Amino acid sequence: MAAVVRLLNRGVLSSAMGQHYLALSTAAKVQASGLKAGHALPEKVKIVEVGPRDGLQNEKSIVPTEAKIHLIDMLSESGLQVIEATSFVSPKWVPQMADQVEVMKGIQRKPGVTYPVLTPNLKGFQAAVKAGASEVAIFGAASELFSKKNINCSVDESLQRFDEVMKAAKEAAVPVRGYVSCVVGCPYEGKVAPEKVAHVAKRLYAMGCYEISLGDTIGVGTPGSMVDMLEAVTREVPVSALAVHCHDTYGQALANILVALQMGISVVDSSVAGLGGCPYAQGASGNVATEDVVYMLHGLGIQTGVELSKLMDAGAFICRTLNRKSSSKVAQATCKL
Amino acid sequence: MGNFPTAVKHCLSYEQLIKDYPWLRRWLQEEKIKYPEFVKIVEVGPRDGLQNEKEVVPTRVKIQLIDMLSGTGLSVIEATSFVSSKWVPQMSDHSDVLRGIQRAPHVQYPVLTPNMQGFQEAVAAGATEVAVFGSASETFSRKNINCSIDESMLKFEEVVKAAKERQIPVRGYVSCALGCPYEGRIESAKVAEVARRLYEIGCYEISLADTIGVGTPGSMLKMLQRVMQDVPVSALAVHCHDTYGQALANILTALQMGVSVVDSAVAGLGGCPYAEGSSGNVSTEDVVYMLRGMGIETGVNLDKVMEAGDFICSALNRETNSKVSLARNRKL
């Protein structure tokens, strides 16, 4: 009976062609009869760990350089493949990242792991390469007001500035990752049109970014707005080049990540211990915690390559250093009987 | 498919087609996930929530909380529990609470009744709906209510029989549906068996509870697939704990399977008795926020729920567990 319910729920295809293909493919039959809600989830998900950069950048206490290096080294041992190490912005804007060069030079790079860094302009890019960076990231916004308030120029102007960085990166054969912020909501503009997000993502992809991370900067997204946004973006950028960067400010992050996976996304950004509050809602949480994401993915049978216990050790370390409680619920839950 | 030309074979492979033309999924309407249009929220804050809070809350505060919740649009508010006060001191004022609340029209106020004695006291205090608690784990049943699953079913049968005579609907709970603090993994077949038994003895709705919050969308899916073979999805509810942060993702999965009743607690009241300091119930505010964002009707006014949440948190002198409340309160 449940199978009938499922078939009915699937809103059996109106397209005869679709039915024909489904009938012919046994794998699709399994798909249809089995995991409707399991909806072709990726077998593997790449986690992009942004704790040392996005996380620490939004923490009030300045973390000593040795602690940053130790954190990154611990994360390197947990199985993570990508760890965003630092940001080559001007220290006057982001004092937490003032030790960018020492951090880059101090970490023990594990083979097979990449350590991208943020480079807001050519100057930052050059400093990054000099310090040994082999991957960089640039930032665009889907909201005009956010762009103006954050970096004092329009979205188009900001993308033009990155042209220089893209050119230099190409010459140096350095891959570039693109971020789009405010993809489902802006602290100034409110709702953000999915077409605008698609436009910015497409520009970044066309400029040469190998991957575009779609950021729910203030965490207002829900599975509803997330799907609408991803539908628009996946029309312009191949889903294999997309990532989601969900904030957990309204507790929606894991649900949002789940629908993104169901739409074919297989790269997820997260931050160990959920480091990094929300700069637009003081005291509220920001980044989704890597531990909680990994717990969910492993529960879904999705491979991440990450050892949860080692990850939790790294989280415990940085929380002790920052003298704060972990924002990860998995870390907080220790089942004592 | 031996003699077909490769091009044709290629065309006949659904997976290959989808790989080459990702938009095809959407065009074929294959990936359009259907959600219920309306979700009924069962508010368990005053009972499950407060029961797991350390501070004993004065009766008038409990009554005020329930009265505030009655004005939010919620259609079901679990008011109290007729268990022995020696086991659950927080609920010792059960009769006073039930008599003291202002019952809003179109709102149900179910109460827990673990046995006949509790049921009779509940009826005497004016209860018009009751709930019974079964477990999918033998060990949990023995440790929690001091009897085996089979023995507990006999007690529930008595209650349901008496309730039927008075035309009082009975809701059934199955605890440890996704994991047990003592036994660890719980077989979906066992959950299905207990759910089916509760349904057969006459419970109109079965709430499947992830008591220690260990479930993930993976285990939720498997469990629901099995339970739905024995109990119609329209009679199922999910009661997710957020101890490992998985609650909303688990609820989303349940909605995708056709479940349209969700239990939650205002302000995420109620810690986890098995993981000290951890959170327990998922917060109503966060659930309503998600459902609203998905265009799913609940009838619930989020602002009014947050007001009720603010009230009870200040009475308990604790911070809310609701991220939505936290974000709204702290907005710059």
Side-chain angles (χ1 to χ4, degrees):
Chain A
M1 190 199 92
V4 173
V5 169
R6 273 194 290 277
L7 265 173
L8 287 172
N9 280 348
R10 281 184 65 241
V12 176
L13 309 174
S14 47
S15 152
M17 183 171 97
Q19 283 175 325
H20 183 65
Y21 284 125
L22 274 179
L24 285 169
S25 163
T26 33
K29 270 208 198 103
V30 168
Q31 218 183 15
S33 70
L35 311 168
K36 187 200 99 156
H39 258 305
L41 293 173
E43 278 176 18
K44 288 194 176 140
V45 162
K46 178 176 82 176
I47 300 218
V48 173
E49 171 59 48
V50 300
R53 200 277 309 166
D54 192 11
L56 292 183
Q57 186 168 304
N58 284 301
E59 290 286 329
K60 287 195 195 114
S61 338
I62 298 278
V63 174
T65 309
E66 324 83 68
K68 284 187 184 122
I69 291 172
H70 190 57
L71 171 65
I72 295 171
D73 288 346
M74 286 184 87
L75 291 169
S76 295
E77 289 307 309
S78 69
L80 288 159
Q81 297 168 261
V82 187
I83 302 165
E84 211 174 52
T86 186
S87 178
F88 281 79
V89 291
S90 160
K92 117 174 141 212
W93 294 121
V94 187
Q96 180 78 274
M97 302 284 128
D99 55 3
Q100 53 209 207
V101 177
E102 291 96 322
V103 168
M104 277 315 280
K105 291 201 169 122
I107 56 175
Q108 289 185 31
R109 292 173 182 248
K110 196 170 165 88
V113 183
T114 47
Y115 302 88
V117 298
L118 240 69
T119 52
N121 47 38
L122 188 62
K123 182 166 163 223
F125 175 80
Q126 284 158 346
V129 170
K130 196 163 161 220
S134 46
E135 185 176 315
V136 300
I138 61 175
F139 254 87
S143 151
E144 285 296 344
L145 258 179
F146 188 84
S147 188
K148 285 228 159 64
K149 292 234 179 195
N150 227 33
I151 51 176
N152 216 13
C153 62
S154 75
V155 171
D156 279 340
E157 283 165 0
S158 74
L159 294 177
Q160 269 168 15
R161 283 186 196 175
F162 289 130
D163 265 337
E164 291 185 298
V165 176
M166 295 308 303
K167 197 157 156 246
K170 258 196 191 111
E171 280 167 19
V174 169
V176 182
R177 188 185 208 232
Y179 279 94
V180 183
S181 45
C182 296
V183 298
V184 275
C186 168
Y188 310 106
E189 275 183 20
K191 266 198 80 168
V192 175
E195 294 68 40
K196 181 78 180 177
V197 184
H199 168 77
V200 178
K202 189 177 171 184
R203 282 282 305 270
L204 286 168
Y205 189 64
M207 281 163 67
C209 293
Y210 78 92
E211 192 169 88
I212 314 297
S213 174
L214 306 165
D216 179 9
T217 307
I218 47 171
V220 288
T222 63
S225 52
M226 200 66 183
V227 166
D228 288 344
M229 182 274 296
L230 286 173
E231 275 184 350
V233 177
T234 48
R235 279 189 212 115
E236 308 289 348
V237 180
V239 73
S240 52
L242 293 173
V244 288
H245 183 110
C246 298
H247 277 198
D248 204 35
T249 318
Y250 288 75
Q252 311 293 306
L254 285 191
N256 291 343
I257 289 168
L258 184 60
V259 291
L261 296 176
Q262 291 177 337
M263 292 202 56
I265 304 274
S266 61
V267 184
V268 175
D269 297 2
S270 60
S271 173
V272 63
L275 288 181
C278 178
Y280 303 95
Q282 204 187 61
S285 60
N287 285 302
V288 67
T290 307
E291 297 92 317
D292 299 0
V293 174
V294 168
Y295 185 90
M296 180 174 80
L297 295 176
H298 287 184
L300 281 164
I302 295 173
Q303 289 169 41
T304 60
V306 176
E307 261 187 70
L308 186 52
S309 51
K310 289 194 172 158
L311 180 64
M312 283 171 62
D313 287 342
F317 163 73
I318 193 62
C319 286
R320 272 195 311 270
T321 310
L322 284 164
N323 195 25
R324 62 161 266 180
K325 226 174 84 160
S326 175
S327 288
S328 154
K329 286 212 163 167
V330 169
Q332 287 169 33
T334 38
C335 219
K336 293 188 206 112
L337 291 176
Chain B
M1 279 206 248
N3 289 327
F4 277 40
T6 1
V8 181
K9 269 192 217 169
H10 186 92
C11 280
L12 294 177
S13 161
Y14 180 70
E15 290 72 41
Q16 191 60 49
L17 263 179
I18 292 297
K19 239 192 240 167
D20 294 343
Y21 309 101
W23 52 265
L24 198 61
R25 259 203 184 116
R26 282 192 301 280
W27 187 74
L28 287 178
Q29 298 266 294
E30 237 263 313
E31 295 297 297
K32 273 290 183 208
I33 299 177
K34 290 236 161 73
Y35 291 102
E37 278 176 18
F38 180 87
V39 163
K40 178 177 84 177
I41 300 216
V42 173
E43 171 59 49
V44 300
R47 199 279 310 166
D48 193 11
L50 291 183
Q51 186 171 305
N52 285 301
E53 289 287 327
K54 288 199 194 114
E55 300 244 344
V56 176
V57 174
T59 310
R60 51 174 174 78
V61 170
K62 285 185 183 122
I63 289 171
Q64 190 174 348
L65 172 64
I66 295 170
D67 288 346
M68 286 181 87
L69 291 169
S70 295
T72 61
L74 286 160
S75 59
V76 187
I77 302 166
E78 210 174 53
T80 186
S81 178
F82 284 78
V83 291
S84 158
S85 3
K86 113 175 144 208
W87 295 120
V88 187
Q90 181 77 278
M91 299 284 127
S92 54
D93 55 2
H94 39 63
S95 299
D96 295 331
V97 168
L98 204 51
R99 291 203 180 103
I101 56 175
Q102 291 184 28
R103 292 173 181 249
H106 314 300
V107 182
Q108 283 299 320
Y109 300 90
V111 298
L112 242 68
T113 51
N115 48 37
M116 272 310 286
Q117 190 192 344
F119 176 76
Q120 280 152 356
E121 283 174 26
V123 171
T128 48
E129 186 177 316
V130 300
V132 296
F133 248 88
S135 171
S137 153
E138 276 298 346
T139 318
F140 190 84
S141 188
R142 283 180 202 275
K143 293 231 179 198
N144 221 37
I145 51 175
N146 219 12
C147 60
S148 71
I149 296 177
D150 283 342
E151 285 163 356
S152 72
M153 287 295 160
L154 290 172
K155 287 190 189 167
F156 301 148
E157 250 177 312
E158 267 192 299
V159 171
V160 174
K161 193 159 160 243
K164 266 205 181 103
E165 282 165 16
R166 292 170 181 278
Q167 292 172 331
I168 290 177
V170 183
R171 189 186 207 229
Y173 280 92
V174 182
S175 53
C176 297
L178 294 175
C180 170
Y182 309 103
E183 287 183 19
R185 264 200 66 175
I186 295 291
E187 288 298 323
S188 309
K190 188 70 184 178
V191 182
E193 185 200 317
V194 177
R196 180 184 48 82
R197 286 174 76 176
L198 286 168
Y199 189 64
E200 279 170 358
I201 66 180
C203 294
Y204 77 93
E205 192 170 270
I206 315 295
S207 177
L208 306 165
D210 181 11
T211 306
I212 48 170
V214 289
T216 63
S219 55
M220 174 62 91
L221 178 70
K222 289 201 178 92
M223 185 273 292
L224 284 174
Q225 280 178 325
R226 183 59 188 83
V227 174
M228 281 164 62
Q229 286 174 19
D230 293 350
V231 180
V233 71
S234 53
L236 293 176
V238 288
H239 183 111
C240 298
H241 278 195
D242 205 34
T243 319
Y244 287 76
Q246 308 294 306
L248 286 191
N250 291 344
I251 289 168
L252 184 69
T253 303
L255 296 176
Q256 291 180 352
M257 291 292 290
V259 173
S260 62
V261 184
V262 174
D263 298 0
S264 59
V266 61
L269 288 180
C272 177
Y274 303 96
E276 208 186 273
S278 297
S279 59
N281 286 300
V282 68
S283 59
T284 303
E285 298 90 320
D286 298 3
V287 173
V288 171
Y289 184 89
M290 180 175 81
L291 296 176
R292 199 176 64 170
M294 292 167 69
I296 295 174
E297 294 286 338
T298 58
V300 176
N301 183 319
L302 180 54
D303 291 324
K304 291 197 170 152
V305 177
M306 289 201 291
E307 274 172 38
D310 286 343
F311 163 74
I312 191 63
C313 286
S314 94
L316 284 164
N317 196 25
R318 59 160 274 181
E319 224 186 33
T320 180
N321 270 344
S322 156
K323 286 209 165 173
V324 170
S325 254
L326 210 63
R328 291 283 177 94
N329 291 345
R330 303 283 180 92
K331 234 181 164 155
L332 294 177

